[in-house]
């Protein structure tokens, strides 16, 4: 098999890249280790920045999202039993976020790709990258037991945090920046109409809680927990009671309960590798960086990376120049670090850290008070949450 760009991974990064390349007249083949059904059912993120929404619409991939997604123009920060709304529309000149589940985005991207005759090889196993330091890299894999080879000009490593692309780069090239948090999120998907029209981020002395949703009938709720929390210790009733305690308000906020459809614990980490490219291989999305989910940025950052990559590849195939491709890491990392900063800040604002002293607790509450009462501070939160502008500019000296 031969193509211009071999894409490893059919997550948001890989699939959006395939569509961007198609628009630019560049051929690609996507290799995905899982079956189609699996990736279309994998419950993950659900908040799309304004820029991600606009891009999906520009690519004519947003029709179902615009019909079924929920556009939100604010979030609530809840602490000391009171809610405080951050009004995105007012603070950002009309911007908002779309609540639309990641696996629904995946379904739309896969369906459109297949309909356009694009190739996605599902269940590609034993994927290995070869000759990535040359201009003729090769991806070898097996499919239905048969050995396969994909020759290409470039490889996009969009295979997530546990993929093979990052590890294909020779040792000593990448520098890793990593932080693990002393907590995780216990998340449930519940057949219950959301008890609020907008997301609620609650700082509580028992730990953080988040009320989110996937549709007018399905709630997505999270509780801060131990990173190695044993789900067997959390029967549904205990989860609802804990959510009720942490989301409680002085005026009697009532949570809508319902059947728990799915339950899981997610660890929290911040992780970045630099650079994000080596030879003909370009890492994008979770294969190069992970953010804690508090800022709802993982998917959006993956999409921002591949926007840069697609522009670089377009420039190369149109003019033969590699100017943007050479600056790929620098351009992406500038945004990556701003998003790391925001995700870390939201996490530290809202969670209880094991080592918290009474001083830390009071400082955290003072910060929440400041963020919800100062125009400057709430604007900072709002402009980051709806998404910073997409830029290709140089880093200031
Ligand atoms: C449980 C969970 C909950 C999350 N919740 C949120 C949230 O609430 N908000 C938020 O913003 N973000 C959340 N995230 C993060 C967000 O989902 C990711 O940042 C996003 O999926 C990144 O997209 P990606 O395309 O880079 O990687 P992925 O979505 O991980 O896609 C990578 C793809 O590559 C495939 N793959 C892996 N190895 C190989 C291989 N060797 N060969 C071929 N294919 C391979 C995988 O099967 C996968 O389909 C969550 C992540 C997880 C794991």
């Amino acid at each position: 098999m031969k193509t211009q760009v071999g894409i490893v991974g059919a997550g948001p990064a890989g699939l959006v890249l395939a569509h961007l390349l198609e628009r630019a007249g560049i051929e690609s083949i996507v290799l995905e280790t899982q079956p189609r059904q699996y990736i279309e059912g994998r419950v993950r993120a659900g908040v799309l920045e304004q820029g991600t929404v606009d891009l999906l619409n520009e690519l004519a991939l947003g029709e179902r999202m615009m019909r079924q997604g929920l556009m939100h123009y604010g979030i609530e920060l809840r602490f000391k039993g009171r809610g405080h709304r951050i009004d995105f529309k007012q603070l950002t000149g009309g911007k908002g976020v779309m609540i639309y589940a990641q696996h629904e985005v995946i379904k739309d991207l896969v369906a459109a790709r297949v309909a356009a005759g694009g190739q996605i090889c599902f269940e590609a196993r034993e994927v290995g990258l070869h000759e990535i330091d040359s201009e003729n890299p090769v991806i070898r894999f097996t499919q239905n037991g048969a050995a396969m080879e994909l020759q290409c000009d470039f490889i996009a490593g969009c295979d997530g945090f546990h993929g093979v692309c990052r590890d294909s780069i020779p040792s000593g090239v990448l520098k890793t920046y990593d932080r693990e948090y002393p907590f995780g999120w216990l998340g449930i998907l519940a057949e219950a109409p959301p008890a609020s029209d907008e997301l609620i981020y609650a700082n509580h002395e028992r730990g953080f809680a988040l009320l989110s949703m996937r549709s007018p009938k399905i709630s997505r709720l999270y509780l801060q927990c131990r990173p190695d929390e044993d789900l067997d210790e959390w029967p549904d009733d205990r989860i609802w009671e804990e959510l009720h305690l942490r989301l409680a308000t002085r005026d009697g906020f009532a949570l809508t309960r319902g059947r728990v459809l799915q339950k899981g614990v997610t660890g929290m980490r911040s992780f970045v590798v630099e650079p994000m490219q080596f030879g003909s291989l370009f890492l994008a999305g979770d294969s190069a960086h992970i953010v804690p989910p508090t800022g709802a940025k993982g998917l959006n950052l993956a999409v921002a990376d591949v926007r840069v990559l697609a522009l670089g590849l377009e420039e190369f195939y149109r003019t033969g120049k590699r100017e943007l491709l050479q600056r790929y890491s620098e351009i992406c990392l500038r945004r990556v670090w701003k998003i790391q900063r925001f995700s870390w800040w939201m996490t530290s604002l809202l969670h209880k850290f094991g080592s918290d002293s009474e001083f830390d607790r009071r400082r955290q509450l003072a910060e929440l008070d400041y963020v919800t009462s100062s125009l400057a501070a709430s604007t900072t939160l709002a402009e980051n949450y709806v998404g910073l502008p997409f830029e290709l500019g140089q880093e200031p000296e």
Side-chain angles (χ1 to χ4, degrees):
M1 291 160 79
K2 213 168 174 163
T3 192
Q4 289 174 305
V5 182
I7 302 176
V8 187
L15 291 168
V16 171
L17 179 63
H19 283 281
L20 286 167
L21 294 180
E22 182 190 330
R23 181 173 70 169
I26 299 167
E27 282 171 27
S28 70
I29 292 179
V30 179
L31 305 181
E32 166 60 49
T33 202
Q34 298 290 347
R36 176 173 178 175
Q37 208 183 3
Y38 179 88
I39 63 163
E40 290 186 344
R42 191 166 45 189
V43 177
R44 285 183 159 186
V47 178
L48 308 184
E49 288 178 357
Q50 184 76 58
T52 305
V53 172
D54 295 345
L55 181 71
L56 292 176
N57 281 327
E58 232 179 270
L59 291 167
L61 296 166
E63 189 268 329
R64 205 164 64 92
M65 168 186 76
M66 295 311 284
R67 249 185 314 115
Q68 297 179 5
L70 308 168
M71 199 65 199
H72 282 193
Y73 292 100
I75 54 166
E76 182 183 316
L77 294 183
R78 188 171 283 186
F79 56 100
K80 286 168 114 179
R82 285 210 176 91
H84 306 260
R85 183 164 188 262
I86 306 288
D87 186 334
F88 296 158
K89 204 170 202 170
Q90 200 187 7
L91 295 166
T92 66
K95 292 185 190 159
V97 291
M98 177 70 82
I99 309 302
Y100 188 60
Q102 177 167 331
H103 65 278
E104 301 296 344
V105 175
I106 296 291
K107 280 185 204 163
D108 297 343
L109 296 176
V110 170
R113 192 78 195 115
V114 170
Q119 219 176 326
I120 307 176
C121 299
F122 290 102
E123 300 183 61
R125 300 276 151 78
E126 299 169 85
V127 176
L129 277 50
H130 304 271
E131 291 147 67
I132 56 171
D133 53 350
S134 77
E135 291 187 3
N136 307 100
V138 173
I139 309 173
R140 298 205 178 97
F141 60 102
T142 59
Q143 204 177 25
N144 301 321
M148 311 281 282
E149 183 173 291
L150 175 63
Q151 297 172 4
C152 37
D153 302 333
F154 298 99
I155 299 175
C158 303
D159 52 347
F161 186 66
H162 299 288
V164 293
C165 290
R166 191 176 63 245
D167 290 343
S168 308
I169 296 176
S171 63
V173 172
L174 299 179
K175 186 158 169 43
T176 301
Y177 301 85
D178 201 0
R179 162 170 297 191
E180 285 201 35
Y181 296 81
F183 43 76
W185 280 10
L186 193 167
I188 61 164
L189 197 65
E191 204 171 35
S196 157
D197 291 338
E198 292 180 337
L199 272 69
I200 302 172
Y201 287 81
N203 173 307
H204 192 274
E205 57 202 20
R206 296 176 67 87
F208 169 71
L210 171 62
L211 182 153
S212 178
M213 63 286 294
R214 290 294 180 259
S215 76
K217 290 184 183 156
I218 304 287
S219 295
R220 180 90 169 124
L221 297 135
Y222 297 94
L223 287 171
Q224 176 181 349
C225 63
R226 292 195 316 265
D228 57 350
E229 196 75 52
D230 181 0
L231 275 179
D232 289 344
E233 290 175 16
W234 287 88
D236 297 355
D237 278 348
R238 182 175 173 208
I239 296 176
W240 286 114
E241 270 149 37
E242 192 62 31
L243 284 165
H244 178 75
L245 284 173
R246 296 191 195 180
L247 288 162
T249 57
R250 294 171 189 215
D251 52 4
F253 173 79
L255 199 58
T256 332
R257 293 190 183 202
R259 191 160 65 95
V260 174
L261 304 171
Q262 203 240 17
K263 235 189 257 196
V265 172
T266 315
M268 308 267 278
R269 81 188 303 166
S270 304
F271 174 89
V272 183
V273 289
E274 292 188 5
M276 288 169 56
Q277 66 196 93
F278 175 77
S280 304
L281 169 64
F282 293 81
L283 301 177
D286 279 15
S287 71
H289 41 70
I290 295 281
V291 285
T294 328
K297 291 294 171 206
L299 181 160
N300 297 294
L301 197 50
V303 171
D305 285 350
V306 295
R307 282 178 81 173
V308 180
L309 183 53
L311 287 172
L313 291 167
E314 201 177 332
E315 180 188 64
F316 172 76
Y317 283 112
R318 211 165 22 84
T319 67
K321 286 188 192 156
R322 289 175 183 263
E323 210 176 291
L324 266 182
L325 282 179
Q326 275 159 1
R327 289 183 51 223
Y328 171 74
S329 254
E330 169 216 314
I331 296 168
C332 290
L333 285 167
R334 208 176 154 203
R335 185 181 190 90
V336 167
W337 278 110
K338 285 185 202 158
I339 302 304
Q340 287 290 356
R341 183 208 71 81
F342 176 67
S343 304
W344 164 84
W345 175 75
M346 283 284 280
T347 304
S348 58
L349 180 70
L350 292 160
H351 289 76
K352 196 172 154 71
F353 285 70
S355 54
D356 288 352
S357 63
E358 193 50 34
F359 177 89
D360 295 322
R361 176 82 191 130
R362 284 175 189 273
R363 185 202 50 74
Q364 201 181 43
L365 290 171
E367 190 161 10
L368 280 160
D369 185 7
Y370 174 58
V371 168
T372 51
S373 59
S374 149
L375 182 62
S378 51
T379 305
T380 298
L381 193 161
E383 71 171 357
N384 277 276
Y385 200 97
V386 301
L388 295 173
F390 179 75
E391 294 172 324
L392 298 176
Q394 308 269 2
E395 189 151 7
E397 291 296 316

